[in-house]
Amino acid sequence: MKIDVNGRPFTEDPRPGQCLRTYLRERGWFGVKKGCDAGDCGACTVHVDGEPVHSCLYPAFRADGRSVTTVEGLAAEDGELHPVQRKFLDAQGFQCGFCTAGFLMTTAALNEDQLTDLPRAFKGNLCRCTGYRAIEDAVRGVCHAEAPGAGEAVGRNLPAPAGPQVVTGTARYTFDIDVPGLLHMKLLRSPHAHARITAIDTKAALQVPGVQAVFTHHDAPERHFSTARHEHPTEDPDDTRVLDDTVRYIGQRVAAVVADSEAAAEEGCRRVQVTYEILPPVLDPEEAMRPGAPVVHDKDAATARISRPQNNVVGEAHGEIGSVEAGFAEADAIYEDTYRTQRVQHASLETHGAVAWFDEDNRLTVRTSSQTPFLTRRALCALYDLPEEQVRVVAGRVGGGFGGKQEMLVEDIVALAVLRLRRPVKLEYTRAEQFYGATTRHPFTINVKAGARRDGQLTALQLRVVSNTGAYGNHGPAVMFHSVGESMAVYRAPHKKVDAFSVYTHTVPAGAFRGYGLGQVMFAVESALDELARQLGLDPLEFKARNIIGPGEPMLSPSGEEEDLHIASYGLDQCLAIVRRAQAEPVTQLPPDGWLVGEGTALAMIATGPPGGHIADAKASLLPDGSFDLAVGTAEFGNGTTTVHRQIAAGELATTVDRITVRQSDTDVVRHDTGAFASTGTVVAGKATLRASRALADQLLDFAAAHLQLPRTDCTLAEEAVLHPGGRLTLKELHAAGTAVGVEFGADGHFGGTPRSVAFNAQWFRVAVDPDTGEIRILRSVHAADAGKVMNPMQCRGQVEGGVAQALGATLFENVRIDERGAVETAAFRRYRLPQYADVPRTEVHFMETADAIGPLGAKSMSESPFNPVAPAFANALRDATGVRFTELPLTRDRVWRALDHSSRTPRPPVSP
């Protein structure tokens, strides 16, 4: 076989059945990504003789005699970027960047006619991060990025430091490395929702050529742990083993086969013989709580930290402020209904995976796609009785997370294999495994009851919440507690009551997901208050405005008051003013004749960090050439923290961002970092960076003053130098002077994550509905965000747009369906519909003018919060258009049509221009 790849000839024959994607990656072209293996996501797009193809579907042998171009080959030989690469860099048309190579290769092949119809042109490419607006701007040649010149860095649209690597395909994600002697792991998974393993025979598997080992529950540690990663492990139940002799959901891992190739490992899995004693499962959380239901985890409640194992209740919250009975007696109107939200998959394009080996110092090194490398190291050390100094965990660039990688789903089993075999081992989830072997968003059932007087004052608010945590309790109690926190605290009501339950079932486990439970409960609360306002004859937005808490007011939830949580800046009134302005503006986009039109709003409040502390350490150092090194623990997965941390440091050190090198996501880099979750990348890790940079600036000025024998007040830190009345001392000279007397210029920064502030958001939609088909079109989308001081408006806007787009997917069509056996039915992108380019409107994003008293330089979080008000705002708009209150997600076209077909309510007529 002869194949030309980016101008280089290759003659190695592919393996039988090998696709072009793996052929290219095995030869070092790591810009070709694995996202689905089914031609659904486009991350593996390459050109074959100039034509774009999905290389995961293209047989490698068909490339014989052809010319293949990957993203690495787009640039000219002299390094000059291809025009499309330059456009994506100028527009910053990416976040995590895992899909970017595919979009670049697709765009580079478009002709003029195709460029006029991008929804069709990008039908084969998916992005989970951006919301697609930034990608469209890149294609259209819109430039957003500012040059990193001198001056204040914070508040500017400065580009991501890894941007050039992302657009050239040289950014290194988890598996974009060559590890000599690598072995491959595949997992045998349970076909039963509930069963006990009575026998397991591995002899036939071990006879497969290339199979090196098979691991079962006999090889696993006896101790239990939680896959969830939190700073305080006691937040989660210890209910999981590396490999267990009891399986509790279809897809649970039963055995791990390690072999020289993936094919041999897969064949080994097929030959493992398992004898099961099948046990009765329980799939519904309400049934699971009833007496006599099958017990999912028969464990000691105190030891495992499970609330009521005999009733399958892993965690619960009960509380009352005042008396809701009295509050409803005072009410002139009462609304009550039950709302349901579905399972949603994170669908990060980079699946879960890890590769581990022993380094030259005989330390276990784990390279993983994780939001929590430090907590993962801690868990591995506890699980295998290893000292922390003997374990290194590093996350390369992570291809999306959204909370799904705040888990230890692969590192434990990979570490087991490496510790036993003393050889490098890799485990990479398939897309199907991501659906039935990873985690989902928690499905919720929420009964909400609200009462108010005629004057629009709330008198009582009551919730009964049941969260289905699946077969394991990772994040279950924490998500449940969080869901009934800010969702109730944002409203003033003298009487509030909560009864909430996190419940085990024999289904795929749920876990952390963007919003962490708030989005589910806010769907119910915001919808209910909209309906209550209509009962009272009040404008829903005005009704909510009368009842929201104001600055300085206590945030009260019956689930318990969080003493370290404060309203350190208040922009919710500004958010609602943005919505009112949008409502009042002339209608510019009209629906087709006969369509129904409606408007809807929802608001949200979220804590900027988790309770109980979230630790971040950073270190800033001066390098010999006068530039700076910034070491931070937090991970980069499209959240933009790398960019923001450079901006913070540049401002404090009076330099430009291009003179700051960031090292991160590596347990060898700094002392400790809890991780990149709960919206802490800027407000917690950023504060550690701020403190480290300020301390270094002070150190430099103190030394310069002493060295120059001048008062400190005569010295000023400037770009590349310390200025003084006699001239300038360059930072390079300063470093040399320090070295001569044994002084190293470096400073640490630390923040423990408390006290905490809150961020606010409001979403408004105008939608149109075809009553004959149930089709919905979004005519306008407006989002108001109170992010405090916006560190990088371009990046922050992308976070909001991505959150809105992801929430729209969950609102309109995403649904991890479970069949009557408990098996996931939607284990592929083509069966699980993600938002595509054509599905997502341009959302108008507005930032409020606030500055937070707690966050670094006045900043607040803005990665999770945009997600939360989207579903209720959309449902409220749909109710306004159709007269039907939809109480279950997703709002699929057929569900809408059936409701309209059987409804006798009078729909609202279209809006006139």
Side-chain angles (χ1 to χ4, degrees), residues 360-434:
E360 61 275 6
D361 296 321
N362 203 35
R363 290 197 309 163
L364 176 65
T365 301
V366 182
R367 182 180 173 91
T368 176
S369 181
S370 173
Q371 297 173 227
T372 59
F374 287 82
L375 298 186
T376 298
R377 179 182 65 172
R378 178 191 291 173
L380 291 175
C381 290
L383 192 58
Y384 295 112
D385 296 316
L386 300 170
E388 284 197 354
E389 61 271 17
Q390 288 300 311
V391 180
R392 178 188 182 190
V393 176
V394 58
R397 190 172 178 89
V398 178
F402 318 113
K405 294 174 181 176
Q406 191 193 339
E407 306 271 358
M408 186 173 71
L409 298 181
V410 294
E411 298 91 344
D412 57 329
I413 190 71
V414 171
L416 172 66
V418 175
L419 289 168
R420 294 292 183 88
L421 299 174
R422 313 295 294 188
R423 289 186 59 185
V425 176
K426 166 189 172 182
L427 171 60
E428 183 178 13
Y429 273 15
T430 65
R431 180 54 56 186
E433 285 181 298
Q434 199 73 9

Coordinates of all heavy atoms in Angstrom, one line a residue, residues 360-434:
E360 N 10.5 6.8 35.0 CA 11.9 6.4 35.2 C 12.2 6.4 36.7 O 13.2 5.8 37.1 CB 12.8 7.3 34.5 CG 12.7 8.8 34.9 CD 11.6 9.5 34.1 OE1 10.8 8.9 33.4 OE2 11.6 10.8 34.3
D361 N 11.4 7.1 37.5 CA 11.6 7.1 38.9 C 10.7 6.0 39.7 O 10.6 6.1 40.9 CB 11.3 8.5 39.5 CG 12.3 9.5 39.0 OD1 13.5 9.2 38.8 OD2 11.9 10.6 38.7
N362 N 10.1 5.1 38.9 CA 9.3 4.1 39.4 C 8.1 4.6 40.1 O 7.5 4.0 41.0 CB 10.1 3.2 40.4 CG 9.4 1.8 40.5 OD1 8.9 1.3 39.5 ND2 9.5 1.2 41.7
R363 N 7.6 5.8 39.6 CA 6.3 6.3 40.1 C 5.2 6.0 39.1 O 5.3 6.0 37.9 CB 6.4 7.9 40.2 CG 7.3 8.3 41.3 CD 7.0 9.8 41.6 NE 7.0 10.6 40.4 CZ 6.5 11.9 40.4 NH1 5.9 12.4 41.4 NH2 6.5 12.6 39.2
L364 N 4.0 5.7 39.7 CA 2.9 5.4 38.9 C 2.4 6.8 38.3 O 2.1 7.7 39.1 CB 1.7 4.8 39.7 CG 0.4 4.6 39.0 CD1 0.5 3.6 37.9 CD2 -0.7 4.2 40.0
T365 N 2.4 6.9 37.0 CA 1.9 8.1 36.3 C 0.6 7.8 35.6 O 0.6 6.8 34.8 CB 3.0 8.6 35.3 OG1 4.2 8.9 36.0 CG2 2.5 9.8 34.6
V366 N -0.4 8.6 35.8 CA -1.7 8.4 35.2 C -2.0 9.6 34.4 O -2.1 10.7 35.0 CB -2.8 8.1 36.2 CG1 -4.1 7.8 35.5 CG2 -2.4 6.9 37.1
R367 N -2.2 9.5 33.1 CA -2.6 10.6 32.2 C -4.1 10.3 31.9 O -4.5 9.3 31.3 CB -1.8 10.6 30.9 CG -2.1 11.7 30.0 CD -1.3 11.7 28.8 NE -1.7 12.7 27.8 CZ -1.2 13.9 27.7 NH1 -0.3 14.3 28.5 NH2 -1.6 14.7 26.7
T368 N -5.0 11.3 32.3 CA -6.4 11.0 32.2 C -7.2 12.2 31.8 O -6.8 13.4 31.9 CB -6.9 10.6 33.6 OG1 -8.3 10.4 33.6 CG2 -6.5 11.6 34.7
S369 N -8.4 11.9 31.2 CA -9.3 13.0 30.9 C -10.2 13.3 32.1 O -11.2 12.7 32.3 CB -10.2 12.5 29.7 OG -11.1 13.6 29.3
S370 N -9.7 14.2 32.9 CA -10.3 14.4 34.2 C -10.4 15.9 34.6 O -9.5 16.6 34.2 CB -9.5 13.7 35.3 OG -10.0 14.0 36.6
Q371 N -11.4 16.2 35.3 CA -11.6 17.6 35.8 C -10.9 17.7 37.2 O -10.8 18.7 37.8 CB -13.0 18.0 35.9 CG -13.8 18.1 34.6 CD -15.3 18.3 34.7 OE1 -16.0 17.6 34.1 NE2 -15.7 19.2 35.6
T372 N -10.5 16.5 37.8 CA -10.0 16.5 39.1 C -8.7 15.6 39.3 O -8.7 14.6 40.0 CB -11.1 15.9 40.1 OG1 -11.4 14.6 39.6 CG2 -12.4 16.8 40.0
P373 N -7.6 16.0 38.7 CA -6.4 15.2 38.8 C -5.9 15.0 40.3 O -5.5 13.9 40.6 CB -5.4 15.9 38.0 CG -5.9 17.3 37.8 CD -7.4 17.2 37.8
F374 N -6.0 16.0 41.1 CA -5.5 15.9 42.5 C -6.4 15.0 43.3 O -5.9 14.2 44.1 CB -5.4 17.3 43.1 CG -4.3 18.1 42.6 CD1 -4.4 18.8 41.4 CD2 -3.0 18.2 43.3 CE1 -3.3 19.6 40.9 CE2 -2.0 19.0 42.8 CZ -2.1 19.7 41.6
L375 N -7.7 15.1 43.2 CA -8.6 14.3 43.9 C -8.5 12.8 43.4 O -8.7 11.9 44.2 CB -10.0 14.8 43.8 CG -10.3 16.2 44.4 CD1 -11.8 16.5 44.4 CD2 -9.7 16.3 45.8
T376 N -8.2 12.7 42.2 CA -8.1 11.3 41.6 C -6.8 10.7 42.2 O -6.8 9.5 42.5 CB -8.0 11.4 40.1 OG1 -9.3 11.9 39.6 CG2 -7.8 10.0 39.5
R377 N -5.7 11.4 42.3 CA -4.5 10.9 42.9 C -4.8 10.5 44.3 O -4.4 9.4 44.8 CB -3.4 11.9 42.9 CG -2.1 11.4 43.6 CD -1.0 12.4 43.6 NE -1.3 13.6 44.4 CZ -0.4 14.5 44.7 NH1 0.8 14.5 44.2 NH2 -0.8 15.6 45.5
R378 N -5.5 11.3 45.1 CA -5.8 11.0 46.5 C -6.6 9.7 46.6 O -6.4 8.9 47.4 CB -6.6 12.2 47.1 CG -7.0 11.9 48.5 CD -8.0 13.0 49.0 NE -7.4 14.3 49.1 CZ -8.1 15.4 49.4 NH1 -9.4 15.4 49.5 NH2 -7.4 16.5 49.5
A379 N -7.6 9.5 45.7 CA -8.4 8.3 45.7 C -7.6 7.1 45.3 O -7.8 6.0 45.9 CB -9.6 8.5 44.7
L380 N -6.8 7.2 44.3 CA -5.9 6.0 43.9 C -5.0 5.6 45.1 O -4.8 4.4 45.3 CB -5.1 6.4 42.7 CG -5.9 6.5 41.4 CD1 -5.0 7.0 40.3 CD2 -6.6 5.2 41.0
C381 N -4.4 6.6 45.8 CA -3.5 6.3 46.9 C -4.3 5.6 48.0 O -3.8 4.6 48.6 CB -2.9 7.6 47.4 SG -1.7 8.3 46.2
A382 N -5.5 6.1 48.3 CA -6.3 5.4 49.4 C -6.7 4.0 49.0 O -6.7 3.1 49.8 CB -7.5 6.3 49.7
L383 N -7.0 3.8 47.7 CA -7.5 2.5 47.2 C -6.4 1.5 47.2 O -6.7 0.3 47.6 CB -8.1 2.7 45.8 CG -8.9 1.6 45.2 CD1 -10.1 1.2 46.1 CD2 -9.4 2.0 43.8
Y384 N -5.2 1.9 46.8 CA -4.1 0.9 46.7 C -3.0 1.1 47.7 O -1.9 0.5 47.5 CB -3.6 1.0 45.2 CG -4.6 0.6 44.2 CD1 -5.1 1.5 43.3 CD2 -5.0 -0.7 44.1 CE1 -6.0 1.1 42.3 CE2 -6.0 -1.1 43.2 CZ -6.5 -0.2 42.3 OH -7.4 -0.6 41.3
D385 N -3.3 1.9 48.7 CA -2.3 2.0 49.8 C -0.9 2.5 49.3 O 0.1 2.0 49.6 CB -2.1 0.7 50.6 CG -3.4 0.3 51.3 OD1 -4.0 1.1 51.9 OD2 -3.7 -0.9 51.3
L386 N -1.0 3.6 48.5 CA 0.2 4.1 47.9 C 0.5 5.5 48.5 O -0.4 6.3 48.7 CB 0.0 4.3 46.4 CG -0.2 3.0 45.6 CD1 -0.6 3.4 44.1 CD2 1.0 2.1 45.6
P387 N 1.7 5.9 48.7 CA 2.1 7.2 49.2 C 1.9 8.2 48.0 O 2.2 7.9 46.9 CB 3.5 7.1 49.6 CG 4.1 5.9 48.9 CD 2.9 5.0 48.7
E388 N 1.4 9.4 48.4 CA 1.1 10.4 47.3 C 2.3 10.7 46.5 O 2.2 11.0 45.3 CB 0.5 11.6 47.9 CG -1.0 11.5 48.3 CD -1.7 12.8 48.5 OE1 -1.0 13.8 48.5 OE2 -2.9 12.7 48.7
E389 N 3.5 10.7 47.1 CA 4.7 11.1 46.3 C 5.1 10.0 45.3 O 5.9 10.3 44.4 CB 5.9 11.3 47.2 CG 6.3 10.2 48.1 CD 5.6 10.1 49.4 OE1 4.5 10.8 49.6 OE2 6.1 9.3 50.3
Q390 N 4.4 8.9 45.3 CA 4.7 7.8 44.4 C 3.7 7.8 43.2 O 3.7 6.9 42.4 CB 4.7 6.4 45.1 CG 6.0 6.2 46.0 CD 7.2 6.3 45.1 OE1 7.4 5.7 44.1 NE2 8.2 7.1 45.6
V391 N 2.8 8.7 43.2 CA 1.7 8.7 42.2 C 1.6 10.1 41.6 O 1.6 11.1 42.3 CB 0.3 8.3 42.8 CG1 -0.7 8.4 41.7 CG2 0.4 7.0 43.4
R392 N 1.6 10.2 40.3 CA 1.5 11.4 39.6 C 0.2 11.3 38.7 O 0.1 10.3 37.9 CB 2.7 11.8 38.7 CG 2.6 13.0 37.9 CD 3.7 13.2 36.9 NE 3.7 14.4 36.2 CZ 4.4 14.7 35.1 NH1 5.4 13.8 34.8 NH2 4.3 15.9 34.5
V393 N -0.7 12.3 38.7 CA -1.8 12.3 37.8 C -1.8 13.6 37.1 O -1.6 14.7 37.6 CB -3.1 12.2 38.6 CG1 -4.3 12.3 37.7 CG2 -3.2 10.8 39.4
V394 N -1.9 13.5 35.8 CA -1.9 14.6 34.9 C -3.0 14.6 33.9 O -3.3 13.5 33.3 CB -0.5 14.7 34.2 CG1 -0.2 13.5 33.4 CG2 -0.4 16.0 33.3
A395 N -3.6 15.7 33.7 CA -4.6 15.8 32.6 C -4.1 16.7 31.5 O -3.6 17.8 31.8 CB -5.9 16.4 33.2
G396 N -4.0 16.1 30.3 CA -3.6 17.0 29.2 C -4.8 17.9 28.9 O -5.5 18.3 29.8
R397 N -4.9 18.4 27.7 CA -6.0 19.2 27.3 C -7.2 18.3 27.3 O -7.2 17.3 26.6 CB -5.8 19.9 26.0 CG -6.9 20.9 25.7 CD -6.6 21.8 24.5 NE -7.7 22.7 24.3 CZ -7.7 23.9 24.8 NH1 -6.8 24.4 25.6 NH2 -8.8 24.7 24.5
V398 N -8.3 18.6 28.1 CA -9.5 17.8 28.2 C -10.5 18.2 27.2 O -10.9 19.3 27.1 CB -10.0 17.9 29.7 CG1 -11.3 17.0 29.8 CG2 -8.9 17.4 30.6
G399 N -11.0 17.2 26.5 CA -12.0 17.4 25.4 C -13.4 17.5 25.9 O -14.3 16.7 25.6
G400 N -13.7 18.5 26.7 CA -15.1 18.6 27.3 C -15.3 17.9 28.6 O -14.7 16.8 28.8
G401 N -16.1 18.4 29.4 CA -16.4 17.7 30.7 C -17.8 17.9 31.2 O -18.5 16.9 31.3
F402 N -18.2 19.1 31.5 CA -19.6 19.4 31.9 C -20.0 18.7 33.2 O -21.2 18.5 33.4 CB -20.6 19.1 30.8 CG -20.1 19.5 29.4 CD1 -19.8 18.6 28.4 CD2 -19.9 20.9 29.1 CE1 -19.4 19.0 27.2 CE2 -19.5 21.3 27.8 CZ -19.2 20.3 26.9
G403 N -19.0 18.4 34.0 CA -19.3 17.6 35.2 C -19.1 16.1 35.1 O -18.9 15.5 36.1
G404 N -19.2 15.6 33.9 CA -19.1 14.2 33.7 C -17.7 13.6 34.1 O -17.5 12.4 34.3
K405 N -16.7 14.5 34.0 CA -15.3 14.0 34.4 C -14.9 14.5 35.8 O -13.7 14.5 36.1 CB -14.4 14.5 33.3 CG -14.7 13.9 31.9 CD -13.9 14.4 30.8 CE -14.3 13.7 29.5 NZ -13.6 14.2 28.3
Q406 N -15.9 14.7 36.6 CA -15.7 14.9 38.0 C -15.9 13.6 38.7 O -16.6 13.4 39.7 CB -16.7 16.0 38.6 CG -16.3 16.4 40.0 CD -17.5 17.2 40.6 OE1 -18.3 17.8 39.9 NE2 -17.5 17.3 42.0
E407 N -15.4 12.5 38.1 CA -15.6 11.2 38.5 C -14.3 10.4 38.3 O -13.5 10.8 37.5 CB -16.7 10.4 37.6 CG -18.0 11.1 37.6 CD -19.0 10.7 38.7 OE1 -18.6 9.8 39.5 OE2 -20.1 11.2 38.7
M408 N -14.2 9.3 39.0 CA -13.1 8.4 38.8 C -13.7 7.1 38.2 O -14.1 6.2 38.9 CB -12.3 8.1 40.0 CG -11.1 7.2 39.8 SD -10.0 7.0 41.3 CE -11.0 5.9 42.3
L409 N -13.9 7.1 36.9 CA -14.5 5.9 36.2 C -13.6 5.0 35.5 O -14.0 3.9 35.2 CB -15.5 6.5 35.2 CG -16.7 7.4 35.7 CD1 -17.6 7.8 34.6 CD2 -17.5 6.6 36.8
V410 N -12.4 5.4 35.3 CA -11.4 4.6 34.5 C -10.1 4.4 35.2 O -9.4 3.4 35.0 CB -11.2 5.1 33.1 CG1 -12.5 5.0 32.3 CG2 -10.7 6.6 33.1
E411 N -9.7 5.5 35.9 CA -8.3 5.5 36.5 C -8.1 4.3 37.5 O -7.0 3.8 37.5 CB -8.1 6.8 37.2 CG -8.2 8.0 36.2 CD -9.6 8.6 36.2 OE1 -10.5 7.9 36.6 OE2 -9.7 9.8 35.7
D412 N -9.1 3.9 38.2 CA -8.9 2.9 39.2 C -8.6 1.5 38.6 O -7.7 0.8 39.0 CB -10.1 2.8 40.1 CG -11.4 2.5 39.4 OD1 -11.5 3.0 38.2 OD2 -12.3 1.9 39.9
I413 N -9.3 1.2 37.5 CA -9.1 -0.1 36.9 C -7.8 -0.1 36.1 O -7.1 -1.1 36.0 CB -10.3 -0.5 36.1 CG1 -10.2 -2.0 35.6 CG2 -10.5 0.4 34.9 CD1 -10.5 -3.0 36.7
V414 N -7.5 1.0 35.5 CA -6.2 1.1 34.8 C -5.0 1.0 35.7 O -4.0 0.3 35.5 CB -6.1 2.4 34.0 CG1 -4.7 2.6 33.4 CG2 -7.2 2.4 32.8
A415 N -5.1 1.7 36.9 CA -4.1 1.6 37.9 C -3.9 0.2 38.4 O -2.8 -0.3 38.6 CB -4.4 2.5 39.0
L416 N -5.0 -0.5 38.6 CA -4.9 -1.9 39.0 C -4.1 -2.8 38.0 O -3.2 -3.5 38.4 CB -6.3 -2.5 39.1 CG -6.4 -4.0 39.4 CD1 -5.8 -4.4 40.8 CD2 -7.8 -4.5 39.3
A417 N -4.4 -2.6 36.7 CA -3.6 -3.4 35.7 C -2.2 -3.0 35.7 O -1.3 -3.9 35.6 CB -4.3 -3.1 34.4
V418 N -1.8 -1.7 35.8 CA -0.4 -1.3 35.7 C 0.3 -1.8 37.0 O 1.5 -2.2 36.9 CB -0.4 0.2 35.6 CG1 1.1 0.7 35.6 CG2 -1.0 0.7 34.2
L419 N -0.3 -1.7 38.1 CA 0.3 -2.2 39.3 C 0.6 -3.7 39.3 O 1.6 -4.1 39.8 CB -0.6 -1.8 40.6 CG -0.7 -0.4 40.9 CD1 -1.8 -0.1 41.9 CD2 0.7 0.2 41.5
R420 N -0.3 -4.4 38.6 CA 0.0 -5.9 38.5 C 0.9 -6.2 37.4 O 1.8 -7.1 37.6 CB -1.4 -6.6 38.3 CG -2.4 -6.4 39.4 CD -1.9 -7.2 40.7 NE -2.9 -7.2 41.7 CZ -3.9 -8.0 41.9 NH1 -4.1 -9.0 41.0 NH2 -4.8 -7.9 42.8
L421 N 0.8 -5.6 36.3 CA 1.6 -6.0 35.1 C 2.9 -5.2 35.0 O 3.8 -5.7 34.2 CB 0.8 -5.8 33.8 CG -0.5 -6.6 33.8 CD1 -1.3 -6.2 32.5 CD2 -0.2 -8.1 33.7
R422 N 3.0 -4.1 35.6 CA 4.2 -3.2 35.5 C 4.5 -2.8 34.1 O 5.6 -2.6 33.7 CB 5.4 -3.9 36.1 CG 5.3 -4.6 37.5 CD 5.0 -3.6 38.6 NE 6.1 -2.7 38.8 CZ 6.1 -1.8 39.9 NH1 5.1 -1.8 40.7 NH2 7.1 -1.0 40.1
R423 N 3.4 -2.7 33.3 CA 3.5 -2.2 31.9 C 2.5 -1.1 31.7 O 1.5 -1.1 32.3 CB 3.3 -3.4 30.9 CG 4.4 -4.4 30.9 CD 4.2 -5.4 29.8 NE 4.1 -4.8 28.5 CZ 3.8 -5.5 27.4 NH1 3.6 -6.9 27.5 NH2 3.7 -4.9 26.2
P424 N 2.7 -0.3 30.7 CA 1.7 0.8 30.4 C 0.4 0.2 29.9 O 0.4 -0.8 29.1 CB 2.4 1.6 29.2 CG 3.8 1.2 29.3 CD 3.9 -0.2 29.8
V425 N -0.7 0.7 30.3 CA -2.0 0.2 30.0 C -2.9 1.4 29.6 O -2.9 2.5 30.3 CB -2.7 -0.6 31.1 CG1 -4.1 -1.0 30.7 CG2 -1.8 -1.8 31.4
K426 N -3.8 1.2 28.6 CA -4.7 2.3 28.1 C -6.1 1.7 28.1 O -6.4 0.6 27.7 CB -4.3 2.7 26.7 CG -5.4 3.5 26.0 CD -5.0 3.7 24.5 CE -6.1 4.4 23.7 NZ -5.8 4.5 22.3
L427 N -7.0 2.6 28.6 CA -8.5 2.3 28.5 C -9.1 3.5 28.0 O -9.1 4.6 28.6 CB -9.1 1.9 29.9 CG -10.6 1.8 29.9 CD1 -11.1 0.7 29.0 CD2 -11.1 1.5 31.3
E428 N -9.8 3.4 26.8 CA -10.5 4.5 26.2 C -12.0 4.0 25.9 O -12.2 3.1 25.2 CB -9.8 4.9 24.9 CG -10.5 6.1 24.2 CD -9.8 6.6 23.0 OE1 -8.9 5.8 22.5 OE2 -10.0 7.7 22.5
Y429 N -12.9 4.7 26.5 CA -14.3 4.4 26.3 C -14.7 4.6 24.8 O -14.3 5.5 24.2 CB -15.2 5.2 27.2 CG -15.5 4.7 28.6 CD1 -14.7 3.7 29.1 CD2 -16.5 5.2 29.3 CE1 -14.9 3.3 30.4 CE2 -16.7 4.8 30.6 CZ -15.9 3.8 31.2 OH -16.2 3.4 32.4
T430 N -15.6 3.7 24.4 CA -16.3 3.9 23.1 C -17.4 4.8 23.3 O -17.8 5.1 24.5 CB -16.8 2.6 22.5 OG1 -17.8 2.1 23.4 CG2 -15.7 1.5 22.4
R431 N -18.0 5.3 22.3 CA -19.2 6.2 22.4 C -20.3 5.5 23.1 O -21.0 6.0 23.9 CB -19.6 6.8 21.1 CG -20.8 7.7 21.1 CD -20.6 8.9 22.1 NE -19.4 9.7 21.9 CZ -19.0 10.6 22.7 NH1 -19.7 10.9 23.8 NH2 -17.9 11.3 22.4
A432 N -20.5 4.2 22.7 CA -21.6 3.4 23.4 C -21.3 3.3 24.9 O -22.2 3.4 25.7 CB -21.7 2.1 22.7
E433 N -20.1 3.0 25.3 CA -19.8 2.9 26.7 C -20.0 4.2 27.4 O -20.4 4.2 28.6 CB -18.3 2.5 26.9 CG -18.0 1.0 26.6 CD -16.6 0.7 26.8 OE1 -15.7 1.2 26.1 OE2 -16.3 -0.2 27.6
Q434 N -19.8 5.3 26.7 CA -20.1 6.6 27.3 C -21.5 6.7 27.8 O -21.8 7.4 28.8 CB -19.7 7.7 26.4 CG -19.5 9.1 27.0 CD -18.2 9.1 27.8 OE1 -17.3 8.2 27.7 NE2 -18.0 10.2 28.5

